[in-house]
Amino acid sequence: MELKTFMEGIKAKNPNEPEFHQAVEEVAMTLIPFINEHPEYEKAKILERIAEPERVVMFRVSWVDDNGEVQINRGYRIQMNSAIGPYKGGLRLHPSVNLGVLKFLAFEQVFKNSLTTLPMGGAKGGSDFNPAGRSDGEIMRFCQAFMTELYRHIGPNLDVPAGDIGTGAREIGYMFGQYKKIRNEFTGVLTGKGLTFGGSLIRTEATGYGLLYFVNEMLKEKGDSFEGKTVVISGSGNVALYATEKAQEYGAKVVTLSDSNGYIYDPNGIDLAVAKQIKEVERGRIKEYADRVPGSVYTEGCRNIWSVKCDIALPCATQNEINGEEAELLVKNGVKYVAEGANMPSTPEAIDVYLKNGVYYGPGKAANAGGVATSGLEMCQNSMRYNWTREEVDEKLQRIMKDIYANAYEASKKAGQEGNLMVGANIAGFIKVADAMIAQGV
Ligand code: NDP
């Protein structure tokens, strides 16, 4: 099997989907040498089959805004792979959403979910709806219209969506309400639900906390610790805020947060209570932090964040937010660890720079798997009709993140590339899905 021919096939079959090509190429590059040593995978054409979604649903979402005007958005659900469990993956609401972006996310999700050790297949969905500036009533009507079609394609044993960019507890609540109304049943069909109707403790914190548990394992590997470390975090959404919280608990100093307009730098360490008030309560912009916290500065342009000196960089906003030049800048300023809270935040050029300069790199599909893992734990609790305590869920999350790290590390060693966690995560995630696909036949 050869990378070039394989990628030509992918590009011909999926034109105008650059993010999907990028995600598949990164995985194929690391997997093809492994597959070439395991002819059973090549013969069953597992990689070709994994790169083809099992099902793609695209649909119209029409709703009425506060001015009485009709709005039309496009909704999607990509059901990528169900070899090891029901489809599972988030719903993204952002104007940049299109088929290629969601296919890249669904593809990554297959490997990530496999790594969690829980029985979950991979999916992703969402819409090009832009929640920015929309009233609560508009958000509700959009979510209801979206679910009025999506409900046909999901179910607690079929496909269980969760949150992602633009989809938090509020949106999940409205979608759950609509599903329950249409189906006339109360089931764990979505995760990230409110705590009063089937949500799991720690789900809100899970991706950010899980990222830090993973980074903790990376530090331990190097005989290092969070003590005295300066951390740069991008984004100011769900993942960024709870990554900040756990980094601070570990004793590190987080000096930045950002949104798509710009970033704040606080040399004294982020005052998380202020950031949460602005983002979670007021749904404001991160710029307002600098008006409230003396000594902090706001800089227009979110990408400038990578010029801030740090030991650990945690991109937690969106795809391709660090390019090769920005990675060079991080290296020049002494970064030692990069771990991804966001999905595919580093371009292939940026990853090259990390690997060539000895930066210890934690790829998103391993490092940010804590979110979906805890969604898996929410599904377990829903099935049992029982709730675990905060400590019980946190303990399970910590164990899962440790296992993901250990499995990725072990697989990198077996592949002769010890410490290359990208290679390790791809191989470890692949084997379980591939073996299940072979066992289930063509
Ligand atoms: P949120 O919507 O809560 O926050 C997203 C943050 O990223 C906001 O600060 C947003 O700024 C910023 N952002 C979004 N798009 C862009 C862009 N194009 N350029 C610059 N900044 C941008 O999302 P989450 O925190 O949930 O998700 C962040 C990342 O983490 C995504 O890549 C997501 O796929 C990934 N992830 C999330 C998981 C979860 O459990 N939520 C699980 C695993 C991964 P603005 O307000 O200006 O748009």
Side-chain angles (χ1 to χ4, degrees), residues 298-313:
Y298 174 74
T299 306
E300 201 62 45
C302 57
R303 301 198 74 115
N304 297 323
I305 195 173
W306 309 118
S307 64
V308 175
K309 189 172 162 45
C310 64
D311 307 294
I312 303 174

Side-chain angles (χ1 to χ4, degrees), residues 92 94 112 164-166 203 207 235-239 258-260 285 302 316-318 341-343 368:
R92 179 173 291 192
H94 195 269
K112 183 189 306 190
D164 190 69
I165 291 180
R203 176 59 189 95
T207 310
S236 51
N238 172 264
V239 180
S258 68
D259 60 25
S260 52
R285 305 301 297 164
C302 57
C316 293
T318 194
N343 285 309
N368 71 33

Side-chain angles (χ1 to χ4, degrees), residues 208-368:
Y209 280 18
L211 173 65
L212 269 292
Y213 295 148
F214 191 88
V215 174
N216 193 36
E217 296 303 303
M218 292 170 71
L219 286 162
K220 284 199 301 203
E221 190 79 57
K222 302 285 177 192
D224 205 348
S225 78
F226 281 105
E227 183 87 24
K229 293 284 188 300
T230 299
V231 183
V232 159
I233 294 183
S234 67
S236 51
N238 172 264
V239 180
L241 291 176
Y242 291 94
T244 303
E245 184 163 290
K246 190 52 80 176
Q248 292 181 340
E249 265 179 44
Y250 272 128
K253 192 205 253 183
V254 180
V255 292
T256 61
L257 285 174
S258 68
D259 60 25
S260 52
N261 297 113
Y263 76 93
I264 47 150
Y265 172 68
D266 188 341
N268 301 315
I270 295 293
D271 184 332
L272 190 59
V274 173
K276 278 189 179 177
Q277 172 67 22
I278 295 168
K279 296 304 300 182
E280 291 188 330
V281 182
E282 300 168 21
R283 296 183 183 272
R285 305 301 297 164
I286 204 61
K287 183 178 183 198
E288 296 160 41
Y289 181 96
D291 303 332
R292 297 186 200 181
V293 180
S296 66
V297 206
Y298 174 74
T299 306
E300 201 62 45
C302 57
R303 301 198 74 115
N304 297 323
I305 195 173
W306 309 118
S307 64
V308 175
K309 189 172 162 45
C310 64
D311 307 294
I312 303 174
L314 306 177
C316 293
T318 194
Q319 64 270 13
N320 293 328
E321 54 172 314
I322 308 181
N323 64 25
E325 280 166 32
E326 288 153 348
E328 296 274 10
L329 206 54
L330 280 169
V331 168
K332 203 178 103 205
N333 285 325
V335 79
K336 296 278 179 306
Y337 304 87
V338 176
E340 300 177 334
N343 285 309
M344 206 169 77
S346 309
T347 65
E349 295 75 25
I351 297 171
D352 256 2
V353 172
Y354 309 148
L355 298 180
K356 285 196 179 117
N357 289 280
V359 174
Y360 200 21
Y361 167 57
K365 61 171 82 68
N368 71 33

